[in-house]
Amino acid sequence: MTPEDFYKALQEEGFNLSQQQKDQFQRYFELLVEWNEKINLTAITDKNDVYLKHFYDSLAPVLQGHIKNQDIRLLDIGAGAGFPSLPMKILCPKLEVTIIDSLNKRINFLNLLADELQLSGVHFYHGRAEDFGQDKSFRAQFDVVTARAVARLQILSELTIPFLKVGGQLIALKAAAADEELAEAKNALNLLFAKPILNDNYHLPNGDGRHITIVEKKKETPNKYPRRAGMPNKKPL
C-alpha cells in the first residue's frame, strides 16, 4: 500500500487527510526506520508494508466506527512503536492517548516521535501493566484500552480491564480468529466482571485476514486484580 493508496483508502472511508496529517505519517515512517536500527521496534520496514500493516491496520477501530474523534481517554498496552494508538491519534486528534510499555528505550522513541509529530494529549509511562493497574491514578480511569497482538485474551483481560471505567471497552486487535481465545477467557472475563460484545473477522485491502474482539466492563474490578507482575502470564485466570 503506497502512501497515495493509503490516502485514497481513508478518503473512501470518509477521512480526508490534511497535509499536516500526511506529513505526520511520513515522518512517523522515517523515524520508525531510523530508530529500528538502534532498537528492535518492528520487523516490518518496507514503506508500503508499514503503511498497510502498521498504519492502516492500526486504524481499524476508527474505520469500523468503534472509536471516534472525540475527547476520550484511551490507554494502549504493549504498544511498542505506538501501534495502534498513535496512528489513531493522528487521524483523531481529540483522543487523549496514554501508552504504558515495559521497555524504556521504546518510551524514549515515543517521546521523540510525539515531539517530532507535534502531538499533544499523549502520555508515555515506563513500567508493567500489572503495577500501573493497581495505581489509583490509572485504575478505572480510561474509556478505552487497546492492545494489538499483545497476549491471548485470557491473559490480556487481566492486564487491561482494571484500567477501564465501568462501561469502558477493551479493543483487542489480532492477526488470527479469536473464537478459541474467547472460549478459554470465559472464566477470566467472569471474574473481572466483563463481557464480550463483538468478535469479528475483517480483511486488509491486500486480503490479509484480521480479527477484532471488544469486551465491555460491567462492574468494578475486584481489588486483587491485576495480580503482581508476571502472575497473569504464569497462571492465567
PDB file of all heavy atoms in Angstrom, residues 122-156:
ATOM      1  N   VAL A 122      -0.741  13.341  24.610  1.00  0.00           N
ATOM      2  CA  VAL A 122      -0.185  11.985  24.640  1.00  0.00           C
ATOM      3  C   VAL A 122       0.717  11.863  25.865  1.00  0.00           C
ATOM      4  O   VAL A 122       1.409  12.810  26.238  1.00  0.00           O
ATOM      5  CB  VAL A 122       0.609  11.641  23.355  1.00  0.00           C
ATOM      6  CG1 VAL A 122      -0.306  11.520  22.155  1.00  0.00           C
ATOM      7  CG2 VAL A 122       1.693  12.677  23.079  1.00  0.00           C
ATOM      8  N   HIS A 123       0.705  10.686  26.494  1.00  0.00           N
ATOM      9  CA  HIS A 123       1.443  10.462  27.735  1.00  0.00           C
ATOM     10  C   HIS A 123       2.074   9.074  27.680  1.00  0.00           C
ATOM     11  O   HIS A 123       1.400   8.100  27.344  1.00  0.00           O
ATOM     12  CB  HIS A 123       0.506  10.545  28.946  1.00  0.00           C
ATOM     13  CG  HIS A 123      -0.483  11.665  28.851  1.00  0.00           C
ATOM     14  ND1 HIS A 123      -0.175  12.966  29.195  1.00  0.00           N
ATOM     15  CD2 HIS A 123      -1.777  11.684  28.412  1.00  0.00           C
ATOM     16  CE1 HIS A 123      -1.244  13.738  28.994  1.00  0.00           C
ATOM     17  NE2 HIS A 123      -2.224  12.976  28.507  1.00  0.00           N
ATOM     18  N   PHE A 124       3.353   8.980  28.025  1.00  0.00           N
ATOM     19  CA  PHE A 124       4.080   7.716  27.930  1.00  0.00           C
ATOM     20  C   PHE A 124       4.683   7.363  29.285  1.00  0.00           C
ATOM     21  O   PHE A 124       5.325   8.202  29.925  1.00  0.00           O
ATOM     22  CB  PHE A 124       5.182   7.811  26.873  1.00  0.00           C
ATOM     23  CG  PHE A 124       4.691   8.317  25.539  1.00  0.00           C
ATOM     24  CD1 PHE A 124       5.227   9.472  24.983  1.00  0.00           C
ATOM     25  CD2 PHE A 124       3.680   7.666  24.860  1.00  0.00           C
ATOM     26  CE1 PHE A 124       4.776   9.950  23.762  1.00  0.00           C
ATOM     27  CE2 PHE A 124       3.213   8.141  23.642  1.00  0.00           C
ATOM     28  CZ  PHE A 124       3.755   9.278  23.091  1.00  0.00           C
ATOM     29  N   TYR A 125       4.482   6.098  29.700  1.00  0.00           N
ATOM     30  CA  TYR A 125       4.963   5.657  31.002  1.00  0.00           C
ATOM     31  C   TYR A 125       5.718   4.341  30.876  1.00  0.00           C
ATOM     32  O   TYR A 125       5.278   3.422  30.178  1.00  0.00           O
ATOM     33  CB  TYR A 125       3.787   5.459  31.978  1.00  0.00           C
ATOM     34  CG  TYR A 125       3.051   6.737  32.279  1.00  0.00           C
ATOM     35  CD1 TYR A 125       1.934   7.112  31.530  1.00  0.00           C
ATOM     36  CD2 TYR A 125       3.471   7.578  33.307  1.00  0.00           C
ATOM     37  CE1 TYR A 125       1.255   8.288  31.791  1.00  0.00           C
ATOM     38  CE2 TYR A 125       2.788   8.764  33.581  1.00  0.00           C
ATOM     39  CZ  TYR A 125       1.687   9.107  32.823  1.00  0.00           C
ATOM     40  OH  TYR A 125       1.014  10.274  33.090  1.00  0.00           O
ATOM     41  N   HIS A 126       6.843   4.271  31.577  1.00  0.00           N
ATOM     42  CA  HIS A 126       7.658   3.068  31.584  1.00  0.00           C
ATOM     43  C   HIS A 126       7.279   2.208  32.778  1.00  0.00           C
ATOM     44  O   HIS A 126       7.271   2.687  33.916  1.00  0.00           O
ATOM     45  CB  HIS A 126       9.148   3.453  31.669  1.00  0.00           C
ATOM     46  CG  HIS A 126      10.053   2.287  31.887  1.00  0.00           C
ATOM     47  ND1 HIS A 126      10.961   2.234  32.918  1.00  0.00           N
ATOM     48  CD2 HIS A 126      10.161   1.113  31.210  1.00  0.00           C
ATOM     49  CE1 HIS A 126      11.613   1.087  32.863  1.00  0.00           C
ATOM     50  NE2 HIS A 126      11.143   0.389  31.846  1.00  0.00           N
ATOM     51  N   GLY A 127       6.951   0.936  32.544  1.00  0.00           N
ATOM     52  CA  GLY A 127       6.627   0.041  33.641  1.00  0.00           C
ATOM     53  C   GLY A 127       5.751  -1.112  33.192  1.00  0.00           C
ATOM     54  O   GLY A 127       5.478  -1.277  32.001  1.00  0.00           O
ATOM     55  N   ARG A 128       5.319  -1.902  34.170  1.00  0.00           N
ATOM     56  CA  ARG A 128       4.488  -3.074  33.905  1.00  0.00           C
ATOM     57  C   ARG A 128       3.011  -2.734  34.089  1.00  0.00           C
ATOM     58  O   ARG A 128       2.641  -2.013  35.030  1.00  0.00           O
ATOM     59  CB  ARG A 128       4.862  -4.211  34.862  1.00  0.00           C
ATOM     60  CG  ARG A 128       6.296  -4.714  34.748  1.00  0.00           C
ATOM     61  CD  ARG A 128       6.488  -5.548  33.495  1.00  0.00           C
ATOM     62  NE  ARG A 128       5.696  -6.761  33.507  1.00  0.00           N
ATOM     63  CZ  ARG A 128       6.195  -7.979  33.753  1.00  0.00           C
ATOM     64  NH1 ARG A 128       7.485  -8.130  34.007  1.00  0.00           N
ATOM     65  NH2 ARG A 128       5.418  -9.044  33.720  1.00  0.00           N
ATOM     66  N   ALA A 129       2.184  -3.279  33.222  1.00  0.00           N
ATOM     67  CA  ALA A 129       0.739  -3.047  33.318  1.00  0.00           C
ATOM     68  C   ALA A 129       0.197  -3.499  34.669  1.00  0.00           C
ATOM     69  O   ALA A 129      -0.700  -2.858  35.232  1.00  0.00           O
ATOM     70  CB  ALA A 129       0.022  -3.778  32.187  1.00  0.00           C
ATOM     71  N   GLU A 130       0.744  -4.615  35.197  1.00  0.00           N
ATOM     72  CA  GLU A 130       0.251  -5.129  36.482  1.00  0.00           C
ATOM     73  C   GLU A 130       0.443  -4.105  37.601  1.00  0.00           C
ATOM     74  O   GLU A 130      -0.407  -3.991  38.490  1.00  0.00           O
ATOM     75  CB  GLU A 130       0.979  -6.429  36.861  1.00  0.00           C
ATOM     76  CG  GLU A 130       0.726  -7.592  35.900  1.00  0.00           C
ATOM     77  CD  GLU A 130       1.836  -7.735  34.874  1.00  0.00           C
ATOM     78  OE1 GLU A 130       2.356  -6.695  34.403  1.00  0.00           O
ATOM     79  OE2 GLU A 130       2.178  -8.871  34.524  1.00  0.00           O
ATOM     80  N   ASP A 131       1.560  -3.379  37.565  1.00  0.00           N
ATOM     81  CA  ASP A 131       1.831  -2.382  38.609  1.00  0.00           C
ATOM     82  C   ASP A 131       0.947  -1.145  38.439  1.00  0.00           C
ATOM     83  O   ASP A 131       0.356  -0.652  39.404  1.00  0.00           O
ATOM     84  CB  ASP A 131       3.310  -1.977  38.577  1.00  0.00           C
ATOM     85  CG  ASP A 131       4.232  -3.147  38.890  1.00  0.00           C
ATOM     86  OD1 ASP A 131       3.822  -4.025  39.683  1.00  0.00           O
ATOM     87  OD2 ASP A 131       5.336  -3.192  38.325  1.00  0.00           O
ATOM     88  N   PHE A 132       0.848  -0.646  37.226  1.00  0.00           N
ATOM     89  CA  PHE A 132       0.009   0.530  36.970  1.00  0.00           C
ATOM     90  C   PHE A 132      -1.469   0.225  37.217  1.00  0.00           C
ATOM     91  O   PHE A 132      -2.234   1.105  37.602  1.00  0.00           O
ATOM     92  CB  PHE A 132       0.216   1.032  35.543  1.00  0.00           C
ATOM     93  CG  PHE A 132       1.450   1.868  35.365  1.00  0.00           C
ATOM     94  CD1 PHE A 132       2.610   1.314  34.852  1.00  0.00           C
ATOM     95  CD2 PHE A 132       1.463   3.213  35.713  1.00  0.00           C
ATOM     96  CE1 PHE A 132       3.761   2.077  34.684  1.00  0.00           C
ATOM     97  CE2 PHE A 132       2.603   3.993  35.555  1.00  0.00           C
ATOM     98  CZ  PHE A 132       3.757   3.423  35.045  1.00  0.00           C
ATOM     99  N   GLY A 133      -1.863  -1.020  36.992  1.00  0.00           N
ATOM    100  CA  GLY A 133      -3.263  -1.408  37.182  1.00  0.00           C
ATOM    101  C   GLY A 133      -3.723  -1.329  38.626  1.00  0.00           C
ATOM    102  O   GLY A 133      -4.923  -1.302  38.911  1.00  0.00           O
ATOM    103  N   GLN A 134      -2.762  -1.297  39.561  1.00  0.00           N
ATOM    104  CA  GLN A 134      -3.091  -1.142  40.982  1.00  0.00           C
ATOM    105  C   GLN A 134      -2.891   0.297  41.473  1.00  0.00           C
ATOM    106  O   GLN A 134      -3.108   0.597  42.643  1.00  0.00           O
ATOM    107  CB  GLN A 134      -2.237  -2.103  41.828  1.00  0.00           C
ATOM    108  CG  GLN A 134      -2.611  -3.573  41.673  1.00  0.00           C
ATOM    109  CD  GLN A 134      -3.963  -3.914  42.278  1.00  0.00           C
ATOM    110  OE1 GLN A 134      -4.631  -3.075  42.877  1.00  0.00           O
ATOM    111  NE2 GLN A 134      -4.388  -5.161  42.100  1.00  0.00           N
ATOM    112  N   ASP A 135      -2.494   1.182  40.576  1.00  0.00           N
ATOM    113  CA  ASP A 135      -2.258   2.596  40.893  1.00  0.00           C
ATOM    114  C   ASP A 135      -3.565   3.379  40.707  1.00  0.00           C
ATOM    115  O   ASP A 135      -4.158   3.362  39.622  1.00  0.00           O
ATOM    116  CB  ASP A 135      -1.169   3.145  39.960  1.00  0.00           C
ATOM    117  CG  ASP A 135      -0.761   4.571  40.288  1.00  0.00           C
ATOM    118  OD1 ASP A 135      -1.602   5.362  40.747  1.00  0.00           O
ATOM    119  OD2 ASP A 135       0.417   4.903  40.041  1.00  0.00           O
ATOM    120  N   LYS A 136      -4.007   4.063  41.739  1.00  0.00           N
ATOM    121  CA  LYS A 136      -5.302   4.759  41.680  1.00  0.00           C
ATOM    122  C   LYS A 136      -5.333   5.860  40.622  1.00  0.00           C
ATOM    123  O   LYS A 136      -6.414   6.269  40.185  1.00  0.00           O
ATOM    124  CB  LYS A 136      -5.640   5.348  43.052  1.00  0.00           C
ATOM    125  CG  LYS A 136      -6.005   4.281  44.080  1.00  0.00           C
ATOM    126  CD  LYS A 136      -6.335   4.886  45.431  1.00  0.00           C
ATOM    127  CE  LYS A 136      -6.675   3.790  46.444  1.00  0.00           C
ATOM    128  NZ  LYS A 136      -6.913   4.350  47.795  1.00  0.00           N
ATOM    129  N   SER A 137      -4.164   6.355  40.208  1.00  0.00           N
ATOM    130  CA  SER A 137      -4.124   7.377  39.159  1.00  0.00           C
ATOM    131  C   SER A 137      -4.452   6.796  37.784  1.00  0.00           C
ATOM    132  O   SER A 137      -4.779   7.532  36.855  1.00  0.00           O
ATOM    133  CB  SER A 137      -2.734   8.018  39.102  1.00  0.00           C
ATOM    134  OG  SER A 137      -2.406   8.595  40.332  1.00  0.00           O
ATOM    135  N   PHE A 138      -4.360   5.465  37.668  1.00  0.00           N
ATOM    136  CA  PHE A 138      -4.588   4.805  36.386  1.00  0.00           C
ATOM    137  C   PHE A 138      -5.791   3.859  36.430  1.00  0.00           C
ATOM    138  O   PHE A 138      -6.492   3.711  35.427  1.00  0.00           O
ATOM    139  CB  PHE A 138      -3.343   4.007  35.967  1.00  0.00           C
ATOM    140  CG  PHE A 138      -2.162   4.864  35.630  1.00  0.00           C
ATOM    141  CD1 PHE A 138      -1.341   5.375  36.620  1.00  0.00           C
ATOM    142  CD2 PHE A 138      -1.877   5.202  34.316  1.00  0.00           C
ATOM    143  CE1 PHE A 138      -0.257   6.183  36.317  1.00  0.00           C
ATOM    144  CE2 PHE A 138      -0.801   6.008  33.992  1.00  0.00           C
ATOM    145  CZ  PHE A 138       0.014   6.505  34.996  1.00  0.00           C
ATOM    146  N   ARG A 139      -6.016   3.242  37.560  1.00  0.00           N
ATOM    147  CA  ARG A 139      -7.072   2.239  37.682  1.00  0.00           C
ATOM    148  C   ARG A 139      -8.451   2.866  37.485  1.00  0.00           C
ATOM    149  O   ARG A 139      -8.771   3.898  38.073  1.00  0.00           O
ATOM    150  CB  ARG A 139      -6.971   1.578  39.057  1.00  0.00           C
ATOM    151  CG  ARG A 139      -7.907   0.382  39.249  1.00  0.00           C
ATOM    152  CD  ARG A 139      -7.725  -0.183  40.654  1.00  0.00           C
ATOM    153  NE  ARG A 139      -8.594  -1.329  40.889  1.00  0.00           N
ATOM    154  CZ  ARG A 139      -8.268  -2.589  40.632  1.00  0.00           C
ATOM    155  NH1 ARG A 139      -7.068  -2.870  40.140  1.00  0.00           N
ATOM    156  NH2 ARG A 139      -9.115  -3.576  40.866  1.00  0.00           N
ATOM    157  N   ALA A 140      -9.254   2.237  36.629  1.00  0.00           N
ATOM    158  CA  ALA A 140     -10.633   2.687  36.357  1.00  0.00           C
ATOM    159  C   ALA A 140     -10.701   4.124  35.849  1.00  0.00           C
ATOM    160  O   ALA A 140     -11.643   4.858  36.153  1.00  0.00           O
ATOM    161  CB  ALA A 140     -11.512   2.515  37.601  1.00  0.00           C
ATOM    162  N   GLN A 141      -9.698   4.538  35.058  1.00  0.00           N
ATOM    163  CA  GLN A 141      -9.623   5.924  34.579  1.00  0.00           C
ATOM    164  C   GLN A 141      -9.849   6.065  33.069  1.00  0.00           C
ATOM    165  O   GLN A 141      -9.939   7.184  32.574  1.00  0.00           O
ATOM    166  CB  GLN A 141      -8.245   6.518  34.916  1.00  0.00           C
ATOM    167  CG  GLN A 141      -7.942   6.608  36.401  1.00  0.00           C
ATOM    168  CD  GLN A 141      -8.910   7.512  37.140  1.00  0.00           C
ATOM    169  OE1 GLN A 141      -9.171   8.635  36.723  1.00  0.00           O
ATOM    170  NE2 GLN A 141      -9.486   7.000  38.219  1.00  0.00           N
ATOM    171  N   PHE A 142      -9.957   4.960  32.334  1.00  0.00           N
ATOM    172  CA  PHE A 142      -9.947   5.045  30.876  1.00  0.00           C
ATOM    173  C   PHE A 142     -11.266   4.581  30.254  1.00  0.00           C
ATOM    174  O   PHE A 142     -11.928   3.680  30.757  1.00  0.00           O
ATOM    175  CB  PHE A 142      -8.784   4.228  30.307  1.00  0.00           C
ATOM    176  CG  PHE A 142      -7.435   4.786  30.705  1.00  0.00           C
ATOM    177  CD1 PHE A 142      -6.811   4.365  31.871  1.00  0.00           C
ATOM    178  CD2 PHE A 142      -6.816   5.763  29.933  1.00  0.00           C
ATOM    179  CE1 PHE A 142      -5.585   4.894  32.256  1.00  0.00           C
ATOM    180  CE2 PHE A 142      -5.594   6.304  30.307  1.00  0.00           C
ATOM    181  CZ  PHE A 142      -4.975   5.871  31.470  1.00  0.00           C
ATOM    182  N   ASP A 143     -11.607   5.232  29.141  1.00  0.00           N
ATOM    183  CA  ASP A 143     -12.819   4.862  28.394  1.00  0.00           C
ATOM    184  C   ASP A 143     -12.572   3.652  27.498  1.00  0.00           C
ATOM    185  O   ASP A 143     -13.467   2.836  27.274  1.00  0.00           O
ATOM    186  CB  ASP A 143     -13.265   6.044  27.518  1.00  0.00           C
ATOM    187  CG  ASP A 143     -13.501   7.307  28.322  1.00  0.00           C
ATOM    188  OD1 ASP A 143     -14.440   7.308  29.134  1.00  0.00           O
ATOM    189  OD2 ASP A 143     -12.732   8.277  28.159  1.00  0.00           O
ATOM    190  N   VAL A 144     -11.354   3.570  26.960  1.00  0.00           N
ATOM    191  CA  VAL A 144     -10.980   2.501  26.027  1.00  0.00           C
ATOM    192  C   VAL A 144      -9.559   2.046  26.334  1.00  0.00           C
ATOM    193  O   VAL A 144      -8.692   2.869  26.642  1.00  0.00           O
ATOM    194  CB  VAL A 144     -11.039   2.989  24.548  1.00  0.00           C
ATOM    195  CG1 VAL A 144     -10.519   1.911  23.596  1.00  0.00           C
ATOM    196  CG2 VAL A 144     -12.453   3.388  24.161  1.00  0.00           C
ATOM    197  N   VAL A 145      -9.332   0.744  26.286  1.00  0.00           N
ATOM    198  CA  VAL A 145      -7.969   0.206  26.285  1.00  0.00           C
ATOM    199  C   VAL A 145      -7.790  -0.567  24.990  1.00  0.00           C
ATOM    200  O   VAL A 145      -8.643  -1.389  24.631  1.00  0.00           O
ATOM    201  CB  VAL A 145      -7.694  -0.715  27.489  1.00  0.00           C
ATOM    202  CG1 VAL A 145      -6.266  -1.265  27.413  1.00  0.00           C
ATOM    203  CG2 VAL A 145      -7.901   0.006  28.802  1.00  0.00           C
ATOM    204  N   THR A 146      -6.716  -0.296  24.269  1.00  0.00           N
ATOM    205  CA  THR A 146      -6.418  -1.037  23.044  1.00  0.00           C
ATOM    206  C   THR A 146      -5.189  -1.912  23.258  1.00  0.00           C
ATOM    207  O   THR A 146      -4.309  -1.595  24.060  1.00  0.00           O
ATOM    208  CB  THR A 146      -6.151  -0.090  21.855  1.00  0.00           C
ATOM    209  OG1 THR A 146      -5.101   0.817  22.194  1.00  0.00           O
ATOM    210  CG2 THR A 146      -7.399   0.687  21.482  1.00  0.00           C
ATOM    211  N   ALA A 147      -5.156  -3.015  22.528  1.00  0.00           N
ATOM    212  CA  ALA A 147      -3.996  -3.904  22.558  1.00  0.00           C
ATOM    213  C   ALA A 147      -3.938  -4.611  21.211  1.00  0.00           C
ATOM    214  O   ALA A 147      -4.922  -5.205  20.777  1.00  0.00           O
ATOM    215  CB  ALA A 147      -4.126  -4.919  23.690  1.00  0.00           C
ATOM    216  N   ARG A 148      -2.789  -4.530  20.561  1.00  0.00           N
ATOM    217  CA  ARG A 148      -2.621  -5.122  19.230  1.00  0.00           C
ATOM    218  C   ARG A 148      -1.573  -6.216  19.297  1.00  0.00           C
ATOM    219  O   ARG A 148      -0.404  -5.956  19.538  1.00  0.00           O
ATOM    220  CB  ARG A 148      -2.206  -4.028  18.249  1.00  0.00           C
ATOM    221  CG  ARG A 148      -1.976  -4.473  16.820  1.00  0.00           C
ATOM    222  CD  ARG A 148      -1.702  -3.234  15.973  1.00  0.00           C
ATOM    223  NE  ARG A 148      -1.385  -3.565  14.595  1.00  0.00           N
ATOM    224  CZ  ARG A 148      -0.165  -3.486  14.057  1.00  0.00           C
ATOM    225  NH1 ARG A 148       0.859  -3.104  14.802  1.00  0.00           N
ATOM    226  NH2 ARG A 148       0.039  -3.785  12.796  1.00  0.00           N
ATOM    227  N   ALA A 149      -2.029  -7.460  19.115  1.00  0.00           N
ATOM    228  CA  ALA A 149      -1.144  -8.621  19.110  1.00  0.00           C
ATOM    229  C   ALA A 149      -0.253  -8.662  20.352  1.00  0.00           C
ATOM    230  O   ALA A 149       0.954  -8.853  20.262  1.00  0.00           O
ATOM    231  CB  ALA A 149      -0.285  -8.622  17.842  1.00  0.00           C
ATOM    232  N   VAL A 150      -0.875  -8.491  21.538  1.00  0.00           N
ATOM    233  CA  VAL A 150      -0.112  -8.436  22.781  1.00  0.00           C
ATOM    234  C   VAL A 150      -0.071  -9.788  23.494  1.00  0.00           C
ATOM    235  O   VAL A 150       0.993 -10.304  23.819  1.00  0.00           O
ATOM    236  CB  VAL A 150      -0.675  -7.360  23.735  1.00  0.00           C
ATOM    237  CG1 VAL A 150      -0.008  -7.419  25.107  1.00  0.00           C
ATOM    238  CG2 VAL A 150      -0.493  -5.971  23.123  1.00  0.00           C
ATOM    239  N   ALA A 151      -1.237 -10.375  23.759  1.00  0.00           N
ATOM    240  CA  ALA A 151      -1.300 -11.638  24.502  1.00  0.00           C
ATOM    241  C   ALA A 151      -2.654 -12.273  24.241  1.00  0.00           C
ATOM    242  O   ALA A 151      -3.578 -11.628  23.742  1.00  0.00           O
ATOM    243  CB  ALA A 151      -1.116 -11.383  25.997  1.00  0.00           C
ATOM    244  N   ARG A 152      -2.766 -13.547  24.607  1.00  0.00           N
ATOM    245  CA  ARG A 152      -4.062 -14.216  24.482  1.00  0.00           C
ATOM    246  C   ARG A 152      -5.060 -13.545  25.423  1.00  0.00           C
ATOM    247  O   ARG A 152      -4.688 -13.018  26.474  1.00  0.00           O
ATOM    248  CB  ARG A 152      -3.934 -15.711  24.790  1.00  0.00           C
ATOM    249  CG  ARG A 152      -3.095 -16.453  23.752  1.00  0.00           C
ATOM    250  CD  ARG A 152      -2.984 -17.930  24.052  1.00  0.00           C
ATOM    251  NE  ARG A 152      -4.236 -18.648  23.796  1.00  0.00           N
ATOM    252  CZ  ARG A 152      -4.647 -19.078  22.601  1.00  0.00           C
ATOM    253  NH1 ARG A 152      -3.912 -18.831  21.520  1.00  0.00           N
ATOM    254  NH2 ARG A 152      -5.782 -19.732  22.457  1.00  0.00           N
ATOM    255  N   LEU A 153      -6.322 -13.566  25.045  1.00  0.00           N
ATOM    256  CA  LEU A 153      -7.351 -12.802  25.751  1.00  0.00           C
ATOM    257  C   LEU A 153      -7.464 -13.188  27.221  1.00  0.00           C
ATOM    258  O   LEU A 153      -7.747 -12.342  28.070  1.00  0.00           O
ATOM    259  CB  LEU A 153      -8.695 -12.983  25.040  1.00  0.00           C
ATOM    260  CG  LEU A 153      -9.824 -12.062  25.483  1.00  0.00           C
ATOM    261  CD1 LEU A 153      -9.469 -10.596  25.226  1.00  0.00           C
ATOM    262  CD2 LEU A 153     -11.116 -12.419  24.759  1.00  0.00           C
ATOM    263  N   GLN A 154      -7.211 -14.439  27.536  1.00  0.00           N
ATOM    264  CA  GLN A 154      -7.275 -14.914  28.916  1.00  0.00           C
ATOM    265  C   GLN A 154      -6.283 -14.143  29.803  1.00  0.00           C
ATOM    266  O   GLN A 154      -6.580 -13.830  30.955  1.00  0.00           O
ATOM    267  CB  GLN A 154      -6.955 -16.411  28.941  1.00  0.00           C
ATOM    268  CG  GLN A 154      -7.090 -17.066  30.301  1.00  0.00           C
ATOM    269  CD  GLN A 154      -6.765 -18.541  30.239  1.00  0.00           C
ATOM    270  OE1 GLN A 154      -6.173 -19.018  29.267  1.00  0.00           O
ATOM    271  NE2 GLN A 154      -7.144 -19.278  31.278  1.00  0.00           N
ATOM    272  N   ILE A 155      -5.109 -13.831  29.245  1.00  0.00           N
ATOM    273  CA  ILE A 155      -4.082 -13.061  29.951  1.00  0.00           C
ATOM    274  C   ILE A 155      -4.340 -11.567  29.792  1.00  0.00           C
ATOM    275  O   ILE A 155      -4.296 -10.795  30.753  1.00  0.00           O
ATOM    276  CB  ILE A 155      -2.681 -13.417  29.410  1.00  0.00           C
ATOM    277  CG1 ILE A 155      -2.378 -14.897  29.657  1.00  0.00           C
ATOM    278  CG2 ILE A 155      -1.609 -12.520  30.020  1.00  0.00           C
ATOM    279  CD1 ILE A 155      -1.198 -15.425  28.858  1.00  0.00           C
ATOM    280  N   LEU A 156      -4.631 -11.178  28.567  1.00  0.00           N
ATOM    281  CA  LEU A 156      -4.820  -9.755  28.235  1.00  0.00           C
ATOM    282  C   LEU A 156      -5.920  -9.108  29.066  1.00  0.00           C
ATOM    283  O   LEU A 156      -5.798  -7.951  29.488  1.00  0.00           O
ATOM    284  CB  LEU A 156      -5.140  -9.625  26.743  1.00  0.00           C
ATOM    285  CG  LEU A 156      -5.257  -8.210  26.193  1.00  0.00           C
ATOM    286  CD1 LEU A 156      -3.906  -7.500  26.263  1.00  0.00           C
ATOM    287  CD2 LEU A 156      -5.754  -8.256  24.738  1.00  0.00           C
TER     288      LEU A 156
END
